[in-house]
Amino acid sequence: MTAEEVESVFDKFYRVDASNTATEGLGLGMSIAKNIIETHGGKIWVQSTPGKGTKVRFSLPKEAAGSAEG
């Protein structure tokens, strides 16, 4: 993915490959994933090198903020 594609990857309805030969989809998956992860206090990011590959990584807190022990 190019730097411009990485910047847009979490936008709703964004598809890197929107050609008629691309895998079908609505372009909502990454936006939904980001929303779920951030709702749980986490972070998600993309690292990509054109022609080599793309990694999507995320982190979640060990314990949810404000959770009660018991």
Side-chain angles (χ1 to χ4, degrees):
M1 295 172 59
T2 66
E4 293 80 19
E5 291 168 332
V6 170
E7 287 181 28
S8 300
V9 76
F10 296 111
D11 295 348
K12 288 182 183 176
F13 305 109
Y14 179 77
R15 298 192 57 209
V16 173
D17 184 356
S19 69
N20 62 358
T21 58
T23 302
E24 290 186 31
L26 297 174
L28 291 172
M30 294 298 284
S31 175
I32 292 169
K34 180 179 181 187
N35 183 274
I36 292 169
I37 290 167
E38 289 182 349
T39 297
H40 287 86
K43 296 179 182 178
I44 185 169
W45 63 96
V46 175
Q47 297 170 308
S48 187
T49 303
K52 290 196 174 187
T54 300
K55 293 180 183 179
V56 178
R57 296 177 183 224
F58 68 95
S59 65
L60 292 170
K62 186 174 182 179
E63 221 173 278
S67 67
E69 290 186 29

